[in-house]
Amino acid sequence: MPHTATATRRPRLQALSLLVPTLLLAACTSGTAATPAANGTAPHVTGPLCAALPTGTDPGNPTFLAGQPADEALRWLPTLTTFEAALRTSGVLTDLPDGTTVTILAPTDDAFAATFSEDNWDDLMTHHTDQLRTLLKAHLITGTHPIDELAHAGTATTLDGVTITVTRTGPTTRLADRADTVCADYQATNARIHLINAVLGPLPVTADGTDHRAH
């Protein structure tokens, strides 16, 4: 009888020994998966530039970014290097109170190149932090607002205290009669990100239309 009981338990122990690694592997795999949006569905981004940005399972895809803090999410979007560096240098995002949600109107690198000469931009980044912070606040709105919600409201007030118009223009949305969305509705932790093709705010245009430094 003791021999029979031992023989009966052995297959069960063997089965458990095979099952445990399988469960551990599943747990590890699920821990590295991209984080879905808060409502359980993948974020849907829209605009003419979206096809040129990370999609599918590429690093920086919309589903992956939905689980990232806003400052980290911006680093994954290759067309936002100038804007991301300015936010990091100025500390505008990190200075917001804990738990603050924000909508980010993020100008592309091309938008900054069309607005500021390299000398002017370098000067803003290194010597005129107050002007830089005011410029960046012109691209931030309290609350996380899908682009359709902003367009339906018709106006929005940015953190620099300026109220801008928001109007639907076919497949894109126009902001302040100046910038159009080129890829809207990225989600991040406590943030919504809309890429735009022009720089907002009061600073004058200093770009000279060349690829060289302006003097």
Side-chain angles (χ1 to χ4, degrees), residues 183-201:
C183 192
D185 283 322
Y186 278 99
Q187 297 178 40
T189 304
N190 292 333
R192 181 78 63 146
I193 303 169
H194 308 305
L195 278 63
I196 60 177
N197 64 357
V199 176
L200 305 177

Side-chain angles (χ1 to χ4, degrees), residues 66-176:
Q68 303 297 313
D71 55 347
E72 292 295 331
L74 292 168
R75 295 184 186 185
W76 286 96
L77 294 169
T79 59
L80 299 181
T81 58
T82 305
F83 184 68
E84 186 276 324
L87 283 173
R88 183 161 27 92
T89 297
S90 69
V92 166
L93 281 183
T94 55
D95 286 348
L96 294 175
D98 290 345
T100 299
T101 60
V102 65
T103 296
I104 303 172
L105 310 175
T108 63
D109 291 338
D110 286 345
F112 277 101
T115 305
F116 301 104
S117 69
E118 292 186 39
D119 285 340
N120 181 207
W121 184 248
D122 289 347
D123 193 43
L124 280 171
M125 288 281 283
T126 56
H127 299 113
H128 298 287
T129 306
D130 288 345
Q131 289 185 37
L132 180 64
R133 288 173 65 88
T134 299
L135 174 72
L136 295 173
K137 286 180 179 179
H139 299 84
L140 303 176
I141 301 167
T142 300
T144 54
H145 304 286
I147 200 63
D148 284 344
E149 181 181 301
L150 291 176
H152 180 74
T155 62
T157 301
T158 55
L159 290 190
D160 65 340
V162 175
T163 298
I164 61 173
T165 58
V166 186
T167 55
R168 176 70 69 187
T169 56
T172 64
T173 298
R174 193 156 184 79
L175 301 145

Side-chain angles (χ1 to χ4, degrees), residues 1-9:
M1 288 296 293
H3 176 76
T4 303
T6 302
T8 302
R9 286 197 300 269

